[in-house]
Structures are given as structure tokens and as C-alpha cells.
């Protein structure tokens, strides 16, 4: 779980729209909207989402909305973070998870509150630098990060029990399936900018991929290269 003692006092205390009461209201809303996994809800209850966005947006941190984080990227809507995490762990908590698209670091931090080891890859160096600072302040010592093209995954640490993508492409890049263990699960948004669906894919022992659609979503595009 999140090491609350490692947080700066201002993050723990919170006031008004960043208080614990605001987090509790958010969790209640997520539960009303179908999030059932108590492990996911409790991590979101503890984790200071305002710590992952610009101070000018702190008053909106516990709205159930995506918010800008610069570089054309967003911190995902809390319901989406919760749903993707729930889908990833529904049939058992994976030991090692690879996240593609660190962004603000919020999704990785939620995962790190549940999963033994999280690996996260971000193509935009400035976003990764900020996320790493947040991880240190939160005391997340079970999280490893890398500046690289997320479409390539993290081959030197493969295979992974599960993989999660926080950006959408027309298809999941082939190297990611190669880095997923037999029996592993991959959760990702897939589709065009105007029509995306959240999918959960399972890899059989023979390499066959089974796809399950989980509903319509909207994510920033999955881009290659580094910046």
C-alpha cells in the first residue's frame, strides 16, 4: 500500500477540495458507478490525486474527470483508472506488471498500491522526471521507470504477468504480446480517436490471444519514439 508517512505534510493534510473528505466522496461515486474491488477503492481513497497535477488544478483533483498535465497528455478520469486496475487484477493479482505510458504517474501509483512490482515506460522525458519525483515522495519503492518508446515495451525485464496501456492505438503493438507471459492479461484502449473500446486480452499457453471488450473509452493516442 501507499507509504503515507513518506508523503509531504501538505499532501496528507489537504484542505477543502483536496481533503480526505473529498477523496471519500470520490470513492463513494466510483462505487456507485460500478467499481466493486475494495482493494482498488482503498488505494484511491488513500492516494492524493492532487499530488499528480499542477497546483492550479488542485480544486478539481477529486472530480471524476480527466485533467491536462501538459505535453498534450492527461491524467485519466478516476473511474477509468479504477476500472482498468480492477480488470487487470480481477482473476488474481499479478506479480509483475508493465505499464505503457507513465504520464502523471497516477495509474502506476494506484497499481503499486496493490501489485508487488510495477514497471512503467514513458516516452516524454519531462513527464517521467516529474512522475519519478512523485514516486519518491510517496515512498513507492516497488516501482521502476524507464524513458523509452512504449511501443517497444521493456524487453530486458520481460516476461510480465500483466501489461496495461494508458494510450490508444489501432492495435496493440506486437512486442507487447511477445513480452506477456503465457496465461497473462493485457488491458488497453484500442481504436481510432473517434471510436475506442477498452479491451482485456488473455494469452494462452500456445500464444493464442482471447479478447474481451469492456466498453467505450476515450484516450490520447499511442505514439512511438521518445521526446
Amino acid at each position: 500500500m501507499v507509504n503515507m508517512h513518506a508523503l509531504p505534510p501538505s499532501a496528507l493534510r489537504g484542505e477543502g477540495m483536496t481533503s480526505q473528505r473529498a477523496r471519500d466522496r470520490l470513492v463513494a461515486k466510483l462505487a456507485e458507478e460500478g467499481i466493486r474491488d475494495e482493494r482498488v477503492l482503498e488505494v484511491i481513497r488513500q492516494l492524493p490525486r492532487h499530488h499528480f497535477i499542477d497546483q492550479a488544478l488542485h480544486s478539481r483533483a477529486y472530480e471524476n474527470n480527466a485533467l491536462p498535465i501538459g505535453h498534450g497528455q492527461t491524467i485519466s478520469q478516476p473511474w477509468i483508472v479504477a476500472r482498468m486496475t480492477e480488470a487487470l487484477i480481477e482473476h488474481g493479482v499479478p506479480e509483475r506488471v508493465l505499464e505503457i505510458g507513465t504520464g502523471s504517474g497516477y495509474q502506476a501509483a494506484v497499481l503499486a498500491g496493490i501489485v508487488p512490482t510495477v514497471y512503467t515506460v514513458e516516452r516524454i522525458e519531462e513527464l517521467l522526471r516529474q512522475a519519478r519525483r512523485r514516486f519518491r515522495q510517496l515512498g513507492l519503492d516497488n516501482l521502476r521507470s524507464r524513458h523509452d518508446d512504449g511501443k517497444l515495451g521493456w524487453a530486458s525485464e520481460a516476461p510480465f504477468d500483466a501489461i496495461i496501456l494508458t494510450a490508444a492505438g489501432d492495435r496493440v503493438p506486437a512486442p507487447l504480446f511477445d513480452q506477456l507471459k503465457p496465461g497473462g492479461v493485457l488491458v488497453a484502449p484500442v481504436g481510432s480517436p473517434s471510436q475506442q473500446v477498452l479491451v482485456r486480452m488473455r494469452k494462452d499457453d500456445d500464444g493464442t490471444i482471447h479478447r474481451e471488450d469492456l466498453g467505450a473509452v476515450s484516450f490520447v493516442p499511442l505514439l512511438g519514439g521518445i521526446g
Side-chain angles (χ1 to χ4, degrees):
M1 300 298 287
V2 176
N3 180 2
M4 301 300 283
H5 297 294
L7 290 170
S10 60
L12 285 172
R13 185 172 61 248
E15 296 178 358
M17 296 304 292
T18 64
S19 66
Q20 186 61 57
R21 183 174 297 180
R23 298 177 212 172
D24 292 343
R25 285 196 298 267
L26 172 61
V27 167
K29 184 173 182 63
L30 296 179
E32 288 172 4
E33 295 187 1
I35 302 303
R36 296 286 175 258
D37 195 299
E38 290 295 335
R39 296 164 296 183
V40 176
L41 293 171
E42 185 56 30
V43 170
I44 290 176
R45 188 190 310 277
Q46 289 191 50
L47 196 62
R49 188 172 183 249
H50 65 278
H51 196 57
F52 293 84
I53 58 176
D54 189 89
Q55 188 170 1
L57 293 171
H58 278 189
S59 64
R60 301 183 59 194
Y62 299 100
E63 297 175 2
N64 190 23
N65 294 312
L67 296 169
I69 58 171
H71 303 275
Q73 306 298 303
T74 62
I75 181 174
S76 292
Q77 177 189 9
W79 187 90
I80 288 291
V81 172
R83 183 68 187 99
M84 291 180 75
T85 305
E86 192 174 58
L88 201 74
I89 67 173
E90 183 175 354
H91 300 293
V93 176
E95 288 290 321
R96 303 169 77 249
V97 174
L98 172 65
E99 179 195 39
I100 303 302
T102 312
S104 70
Y106 183 68
Q107 173 72 81
V110 169
L111 287 168
I114 301 171
V115 173
T117 310
V118 177
Y119 298 79
T120 183
V121 179
E122 173 57 53
R123 63 179 293 273
I124 301 174
E125 187 172 18
E126 176 60 18
L127 288 181
L128 185 60
R129 184 188 66 79
Q130 295 174 15
R132 283 172 168 166
R133 172 176 53 80
R134 293 166 183 145
F135 298 154
R136 289 193 298 270
Q137 291 173 335
L138 288 163
L140 296 176
D141 55 8
N142 63 330
L143 202 158
R144 295 183 59 188
S145 61
R146 178 184 178 92
H147 177 224
D148 206 347
D149 182 346
K151 288 186 173 185
L152 303 178
W154 196 334
S156 63
E157 294 293 344
F160 299 96
D161 301 296
I163 298 176
I164 186 169
L165 281 73
T166 63
D170 290 336
R171 62 184 63 84
V172 175
L176 301 184
F177 286 123
D178 294 340
Q179 294 173 32
L180 184 64
K181 279 185 179 179
V185 60
L186 183 149
V187 175
V190 175
S192 67
S194 61
Q195 190 173 12
Q196 299 171 7
V197 63
L198 185 65
V199 302
R200 177 167 55 189
M201 301 182 182
R202 292 190 169 279
K203 184 178 182 180
D204 279 353
D205 289 345
D206 64 2
T208 303
I209 301 295
H210 300 275
R211 170 173 166 161
E212 176 186 2
D213 290 359
L214 303 178
V217 290
S218 179
F219 278 79
V220 296
L222 178 66
L223 302 176
I226 58 174

